[in-house]
Amino acid sequence: MNILLKNIISVLSASCSSESSDIMIEHVSIDSRSSHNGAHTLFFSIIGPNNDGHIYVKDLIADGVGNFVVNYIPKGLEGKANFLLVENTLAALQQFAAYYRSLFHFPVIGITGSNGKTIVKEWMNFLLSPDFNIIRSPKSFNSQVGVPLSILGSNEKHNLGIFEAGISTVTEMEKLEPIVKPTIGVLTNIGTSHDEGFESTNQKIEEKLKLFKNAGVLIYKKVKTVDGLLPATIKKFSWSFEDNSAEVFISKIETKSQKSKIYYSYKGQCHDVQIPFEDMASIENAISCLLVMLYMEYDNATICARMSLLYPVEMRLVVKNGINNCSLIDDSYSSDFQSLKIALDFLESQNKFQKKTLILSDIFQSGLTDEVLYNQVAKLVVANHIQRVIGIGQTIAAFKDLFFNCITYPNTADFLDDFRNLDFSNETVLVKGARSFEFEEIVAVLEEKKHETVLEINLNALSDNLNFFKAKLQPDVKIMVMVKAFGYGNGGLEIASLLEHNQVDYLGVAFADEGISLKNDGIRLPIMVLNPESTSFSSIIQYQLEPEIYSLRGLNNFLKIAESKKIKNFPIHIKIDTGMHRLGFERKDIPDLIRILKTTDAVQVKSILSHMATSDDRTHYDFAKGQIQLFDELSTQMMEALQINPIRHILNTSGISNFPEAQFNMVRLGIGIYGVSNDPEEQKFLENVGTLKSIISQIRTIPAGDSVGYGRRFMAVQETKIATIPIGYADGISRGWGNGVGYVKIKNQKAKITGSICMDMLMVDVTEVACNEGDDVIIFGEDPTVVEIAVALHTIPYEILTSISQRVKRVFYR
Ligand SMILES: *Cc1c(COP(=O)(O)O)cnc(C)c1O
C-alpha cells in the first residue's frame, strides 16, 4: 500500500497533532509485535475488552513507528509522533478499510452464514486460483477487526477477492458491508450459532443479508425463511434439494466409500459432479462452490476436474508430538504470506523449546514480486527468532542467501531422501507449505507414532475463557492462574506457556515438583507453591519458586534454610485460615507471625491470601461474607504492624463471579479457565477446552441372548451391534459410567456404554449408528460434558478432569 498520511487524515476526518503529513503509509498494523512496524506504518490503537493498543504506543515510537490513530495521546508523548485523533479507533480502522476497498475494482466474493464460511472460502480459493490472483481472508479472519485487516492485504496485483464476514449481534454487518462490498454474495447456511446475540432467527438472517445489500447476485440455499426476507431487487442464484424453481436443482446425492456424486439440473440440462466427501455439511459447502463456478460460467469438465480434488480444510493450527521429542506445528495446506505470519506468531508463542525450525515451500499468490516477498519472509523469520529454515521449491531456493541458516531442496521428494541426515531433536518445527508440495508427507515422517486415544486441548478456548474472567476484574487486579495437577489434567507446560504469552501475573501449583518442572522448561512467570513440604524448601529457593507459608512451623523451617543460605527478601505468601480449616494461620497465630517477620529480612511478604469454602454456594452466602471480612481484618492487621503493602487475594473462580467486591489486588482463577463453571448460567459463556477422543477398534453384531463383557452385565434383548473402544478405567474413565449409565458420541449420535468398563477398553451399543471401524469417538467434550458426567457419577467436574491418566496423549491446537 502507498497512501499519503494526509489523505488518510481526510478520509478519517481525524484531527492531526502535527504538520508532517506528507509521509507515505505503506503498512497498517494493530499488532504491537508485528515485524512490519516501522517508519511507514500507521498503527491503529484498538481498544478491546482485554487489551488497549494505546499502552504500546510508547514502545512503538522507540522502535521507530511514527504514525498512530488514537483515541487520546498517551501522557508525555505529545509531539513525539504523528497522532491522528479519532473518537473510535476501531470505527476508524473500518472506515479506512472501506476507503481502501473503494480503490480496487476487481470482483469480490463475500461469504457469510452460520457454518462453513471458512471452508467455502478456502475451497473457492482452491477452485479459482488457477485463473485468478486471489486475495482472501487469512484463516477465519471474519470479525469486526479481522475483515478490515483482510481487505488491507489487497494490492494492485490481485484480481479477485474472497472474504468471509461473521457476526454475533445486530448492527455488526452494516459495518462490514462497505468493507467487503461483495459483487458475488454467498450465504452458506443458517444454524443456531450466535442465536443469543439476536431476538429471533429472522433478525439474524436479516442482519446477515445486509452484507449483500449492493451485491450483483446472491448464491444461497432456497428456503422460505430466507426468500421471505430478500429484497425484491436482488438477483438470486439459488439451489435446493426440494424446490425445482431454484436455479440449480439437486436431484440426487449418491454417497459411497467417502465419495459423493451430486446430480443437478441447470438451465434444463442434467449434470453430475463428484466430491471426495460423504458428510452433509461438506456436500452443502461443495454445492455453494458449485454455484459460484456455474455463475462464473465454468464448463462442466473444469468443474468436475477441480471439485474432485477438494480436500479437508485444516481449520486450525495443530501441535503434534514429533520424533526425538520435537513439537510439530502442522500447517501443511497453505502457503500464502498472511497465513505464514499467523503461523509464525503461533510458533513464537510456543516456548517449549528455544530451538525453532521452519520448513517452508514456495509461496504463491502474494501479489508481490519474489524479490520483495522473500525479503519480507526473511524479516519475519528473524523477528520470530527462527534458527533454521528449510526451504523447499525452486523459487525459495533461489533466495536462499536472504536467510541466515538455510538449507534448500528443489522438491519434497529430495527433502525426504535427505531428511535422515538432518538433525531434528528437542525443537519446535513449523511445517508450512502449499498444497501442491504435499507436505503431509513431511509431517508423516516427523510425527511420533499416533495414539488412538487423545485429549485434545483447544488453546483458543482457554484464552477466550481467560478473557471472559479478566473482563470481570477491576483494572488493577492481577490474575494468578492455577495450573496445579497438570493444569487440571489438561497439560502443564503448554498451558503455562500460553498463559505466559497472555501475560497473566502468577501461576499457582500444588507441589514444588510441578513448579520445578515448569521452571526447567523455561517458564519465567512467578510461581506460587500452595503446599510446599519442608523438605522441598531448598529446591524452592534454588528454583526461585515462591512458597505459601501457612504455619509457624513452616515459617521457622523456611527461615532456617533461607538464613543459612544468607538470602534476603525471598518472596513468600502468607495463607490465613478464615474458615476453610485446611491450611493457614488463625487469628491467634497472627501476633507471633508478626513478631517473627519483624525480626528477619530473609523473607518478604509478597502476598497474603485466604481460600473460600463456599464461594459457589448461595446458601452459605453469609458464611462466605464472614470469611472475606475476617481476611480483610487479619491481613490489615499484618499490613499495619509490618508496614507492608502486599498483594491480597481470596477469590477462586466462583468467587470471581459471586463476590466481585472482594477482588482485593489479585484473584486465583482455576476451573473456569478450563471451561467449566459451577454455575449453569455462567457455563453458557465458557468455551469447551478439552475433548477426550478415541476410535472404534472393532465392530461386531451379536444375536439376542448373547452378553457383552465381564460378568455378562449386558444382555442383548435383540440383535445388537457392538463397538469396542480402546479406553478404560486405567485411562480415568470411572466404572460408574458403564453399564448403561453413560454414553459416548459417534458420528454425532449417542452410543450407550454396554456392560462393565474394562481396564483398557469399553464397549458401546451402535445398533442405530452408521459407523465403521476406525471412526472417531468422543468420550467427553461438548457432549457429553464433564459437568454432565460429574452429575451422573455424584462427583464434581474437577475430579473427572484430573482423573484422566497421563498415559492419554494431550494434543494442543488453536
Ligand atoms: C485450586 C485452588 C484455587 C482455584 O479454584 P477453582 O475453584 O478451580 O477456581 C484457588 N485457590 C486455591 C488455594 C486453590 O487450591
Side-chain angles (χ1 to χ4, degrees):
M1 127 178 359
N2 271 311
I3 303 186
L4 281 172
L5 186 63
K6 63 179 172 207
N7 293 347
I8 300 179
I9 294 171
S10 94
V11 168
L12 300 182
S13 324
S15 61
C16 184
S17 64
S18 74
E19 254 70 276
S20 55
S21 56
D22 269 340
I23 187 156
M24 193 61 94
I25 296 300
E26 294 170 2
H27 175 63
V28 163
S29 169
I30 65 160
D31 181 354
S32 61
R33 294 164 305 170
S34 164
S35 61
H36 285 256
N37 294 334
H40 297 278
T41 296
L42 177 62
F43 185 86
F44 282 76
S45 309
I46 303 289
I47 301 175
N50 312 300
N51 209 343
D52 180 352
H54 292 81
I55 60 183
Y56 305 108
V57 171
K58 189 168 172 210
D59 289 345
L60 285 165
I61 292 178
D63 289 347
V65 178
N67 315 287
F68 296 88
V69 177
V70 291
N71 209 224
Y72 59 88
I73 301 180
K75 256 222 207 86
L77 300 179
E78 292 88 354
K80 302 245 158 82
N82 297 319
F83 289 105
L84 279 55
L85 276 162
V86 298
E87 225 162 76
N88 178 331
T89 48
L90 173 60
L93 176 69
Q94 294 172 339
Q95 211 175 340
F96 177 59
Y99 163 74
Y100 192 71
R101 166 75 178 90
S102 72
L103 303 178
F104 295 95
H105 301 286
F106 50 68
V108 167
I109 302 175
I111 306 168
T112 193
S114 300
N115 307 105
K117 294 185 284 294
T118 304
I119 294 172
V120 170
K121 181 199 71 196
E122 292 297 315
W123 281 356
M124 281 322 312
N125 176 66
F126 170 74
L127 295 167
L128 302 179
S129 57
D131 313 307
F132 294 93
N133 212 344
I134 299 173
I135 169 81
R136 71 187 196 280
S137 327
K139 294 283 161 188
S140 42
F141 269 39
N142 62 27
S143 67
Q144 295 286 302
V145 177
V147 171
L149 291 178
S150 304
I151 302 283
L152 291 170
S154 320
N155 64 38
E156 297 71 22
K157 301 279 171 51
H158 295 123
N159 54 16
L160 176 69
I162 309 179
F163 300 106
E164 57 176 296
I167 54 169
S168 52
T169 184
V170 286
T171 77
E172 290 189 338
M173 195 59 95
E174 61 204 51
K175 296 182 188 139
L176 299 183
E177 188 275 333
I179 307 175
V180 181
K181 222 193 279 164
T183 49
I184 299 178
V186 179
L187 180 67
T188 55
N189 80 346
I190 298 290
T192 53
S193 69
H194 295 298
D195 268 356
E196 66 281 2
F198 300 89
E199 282 163 18
S200 63
T201 308
N202 271 9
Q203 189 191 42
K204 184 168 79 174
I205 300 174
E206 266 179 296
E207 185 67 26
K208 286 186 193 290
L209 291 175
K210 287 185 186 159
L211 179 62
F212 309 121
K213 204 166 72 184
N214 296 305
V217 62
L218 174 63
I219 289 170
Y220 69 108
K221 179 179 181 177
K222 193 170 175 62
V223 284
K224 286 208 182 67
T225 38
V226 176
D227 270 338
L229 295 167
L230 282 178
T233 48
I234 196 161
K235 179 171 173 197
K236 300 167 198 155
F237 193 60
S238 64
W239 63 273
S240 173
F241 292 127
E242 292 110 25
D243 182 347
N244 57 16
S245 72
E247 282 73 19
V248 178
F249 178 62
I250 312 291
S251 51
K252 191 165 78 169
I253 308 273
E254 249 174 34
T255 59
K256 77 159 179 277
S257 56
Q258 322 258 322
K259 288 191 170 63
S260 305
K261 209 170 213 172
I262 302 169
Y263 293 84
Y264 66 97
S265 53
Y266 173 51
K267 289 190 174 162
Q269 293 207 10
C270 293
H271 307 274
D272 59 75
V273 53
Q274 181 161 301
I275 59 166
F277 293 92
E278 55 179 4
D279 65 288
M280 210 50 214
S282 299
I283 292 172
E284 296 208 359
N285 289 331
I287 295 174
S288 292
C289 295
L290 168 68
L291 263 80
V292 177
M293 292 188 87
L294 289 173
Y295 182 77
M296 293 175 81
E297 301 183 338
Y298 275 91
D299 59 62
N300 193 251
T302 312
I303 292 177
C304 286
R306 292 189 188 169
M307 290 201 39
S308 69
L309 298 176
L310 288 179
Y311 55 93
V313 173
E314 194 56 80
M315 302 288 289
R316 52 196 207 189
L317 290 170
V318 183
V319 185
K320 298 175 171 169
N321 291 318
I323 53 169
N324 307 328
N325 193 33
C326 289
S327 276
L328 214 56
I329 303 175
D330 178 3
D331 196 7
S332 53
Y333 286 110
S334 66
S335 80
D336 57 299
F337 186 63
Q338 272 168 311
S339 73
L340 176 65
K341 279 199 329 203
I342 294 173
L344 286 173
D345 194 38
F346 182 56
L347 177 63
E348 168 97 63
S349 75
Q350 296 288 308
N351 50 12
K352 183 164 175 186
F353 300 111
Q354 275 282 308
K355 213 166 120 194
K356 286 169 183 164
T357 291
L358 166 66
I359 304 182
L360 180 66
S361 77
D362 288 349
I363 297 176
F364 300 124
Q365 297 179 347
S366 71
L368 306 169
T369 64
D370 288 342
E371 185 89 42
V372 174
L373 171 67
Y374 288 99
N375 264 297
Q376 292 197 0
V377 173
K379 262 207 234 162
L380 273 183
V381 163
V382 172
N384 287 283
H385 312 291
I386 312 291
Q387 281 90 350
R388 172 167 68 161
V389 176
I390 298 174
I392 298 180
Q394 309 271 349
T395 320
I396 192 165
F399 290 94
K400 178 178 175 184
D401 293 342
L402 292 174
F403 299 95
F404 158 67
N405 177 11
C406 181
I407 330 167
T408 59
Y409 298 91
N411 54 51
T412 305
D414 284 7
F415 166 82
L416 291 170
D417 280 345
D418 193 38
F419 123 91
R420 275 175 215 293
N421 302 321
L422 303 170
D423 172 38
F424 287 99
S425 61
N426 300 305
E427 64 192 300
T428 309
V429 184
L430 168 61
V431 183
K432 174 111 190 95
R435 200 173 149 62
S436 56
F437 281 84
E438 298 180 344
F439 272 16
E440 56 272 23
E441 294 190 27
I442 297 181
V443 172
V445 296
L446 287 176
E447 193 176 3
E448 196 186 49
K449 218 177 100 33
K450 266 215 204 93
H451 278 242
E452 293 167 337
T453 298
V454 294
L455 180 58
E456 285 192 349
I457 308 295
N458 180 345
L459 295 173
N460 280 359
L462 210 86
S463 297
D464 290 348
N465 293 336
L466 173 66
N467 290 335
F468 171 77
F469 287 100
K470 261 193 190 166
K472 291 178 181 270
L473 303 183
Q474 299 297 320
D476 292 332
V477 174
K478 296 182 188 315
I479 288 201
M480 173 184 288
V481 177
M482 309 310 289
V483 294
K484 58 193 183 194
F486 201 60
Y488 287 47
N490 292 284
L493 176 61
E494 290 76 5
I495 290 176
S497 300
L498 175 90
L499 294 169
E500 187 159 285
H501 191 67
N502 281 288
Q503 300 178 338
V504 307
D505 301 282
Y506 257 97
L507 298 178
V509 297
F511 297 103
D513 291 359
E514 299 175 307
I516 291 171
S517 116
L518 292 177
K519 288 275 178 182
N520 274 338
D521 285 325
I523 296 295
R524 288 166 310 239
L525 279 177
I527 300 175
M528 182 179 87
V529 181
L530 285 170
N531 205 354
E533 298 117 328
S534 291
T535 49
S536 67
F537 282 159
S538 270
S539 29
I540 284 191
I541 292 174
Q542 186 192 340
Y543 285 92
Q544 299 281 308
L545 301 167
E546 303 182 11
E548 173 186 292
I549 300 291
Y550 52 83
S551 68
L552 292 171
R553 186 177 67 90
L555 178 61
N556 287 325
N557 283 339
F558 190 75
L559 285 177
K560 228 182 278 161
I561 295 173
E563 280 162 3
S564 76
K565 294 186 193 268
K566 305 220 166 9
I567 295 214
K568 298 262 172 288
N569 292 323
F570 198 86
I572 61 169
H573 302 264
I574 299 292
K575 171 75 145 291
I576 301 180
D577 178 13
T578 54
M580 172 84 177
H581 295 338
R582 187 168 70 176
L583 293 178
F585 293 94
E586 295 174 29
R587 183 195 286 278
K588 67 172 169 36
D589 305 321
I590 304 289
D592 278 341
L593 173 61
I594 291 174
R595 187 178 48 73
I596 298 172
L597 288 173
K598 267 191 176 161
T599 58
T600 178
D601 61 355
V603 294
Q604 169 212 154
V605 179
K606 194 74 197 277
S607 87
I608 305 180
L609 68 147
S610 187
H611 192 47
M612 295 173 73
T614 61
S615 64
D616 59 339
D617 186 351
R618 282 265 139 191
T619 57
H620 294 289
Y621 185 76
D622 291 341
F623 176 80
K625 284 300 251 189
Q627 278 201 283
I628 292 169
Q629 224 241 297
L630 182 59
F631 174 63
D632 194 12
E633 181 195 330
L634 297 181
S635 56
T636 305
Q637 184 188 345
M638 287 187 63
M639 286 158 63
E640 284 173 358
L642 294 167
Q643 292 288 304
I644 54 172
N645 194 13
I647 302 169
R648 292 194 291 168
H649 45 119
I650 187 168
L651 300 182
N652 66 343
T653 302
S654 309
I656 296 171
S657 305
N658 296 333
F659 299 91
E661 69 285 1
Q663 293 172 359
F664 294 94
N665 320 99
M666 182 155 83
V667 297
R668 299 187 304 272
L669 179 59
I671 192 93
I673 198 174
Y674 306 103
V676 176
S677 172
N678 298 310
D679 174 357
E681 270 312 300
E682 183 167 87
Q683 184 66 51
K684 293 183 193 156
F685 293 96
L686 299 182
E687 289 184 37
N688 183 59
V689 171
T691 303
L692 182 58
K693 279 185 163 177
S694 191
I695 62 158
I696 299 178
S697 308
Q698 194 177 19
I699 295 179
R700 78 185 74 250
T701 300
I702 59 170
D706 271 20
S707 63
V708 174
Y710 287 123
R712 307 193 68 195
R713 287 185 193 91
F714 175 82
M715 287 290 182
V717 290
Q718 59 190 34
E719 192 176 83
T720 305
K721 193 164 90 179
I722 297 290
T724 303
I725 299 159
I727 184 169
Y729 60 77
D731 300 288
I733 308 302
S734 167
R735 284 182 79 250
W737 189 234
N739 285 318
V741 176
Y743 64 93
V744 302
K745 280 290 235 1
I746 298 171
K747 298 260 172 192
N748 225 1
Q749 291 175 67
K750 281 188 187 186
K752 262 200 177 168
I753 302 177
T754 51
S756 292
I757 293 178
C758 311
M759 185 186 290
D760 312 301
M761 278 170 270
L762 55 82
M763 282 72 87
V764 299
D765 180 344
V766 289
T767 311
E768 303 297 327
V769 184
C771 57
N772 297 309
E773 293 178 356
D775 280 352
D776 279 346
V777 177
I778 308 281
I779 315 294
F780 67 63
E782 300 268 7
D783 181 22
T785 64
V786 287
V787 175
E788 181 182 343
I789 298 177
V791 169
L793 298 178
H794 309 290
T795 180
I796 52 175
Y798 299 72
E799 188 179 345
I800 307 291
L801 281 177
T802 55
S803 297
I804 300 309
S805 128
Q806 286 304 315
R807 83 173 184 191
V808 173
K809 283 266 167 194
R810 271 69 175 170
V811 178
F812 301 86
Y813 70 92
R814 51 175 75 206

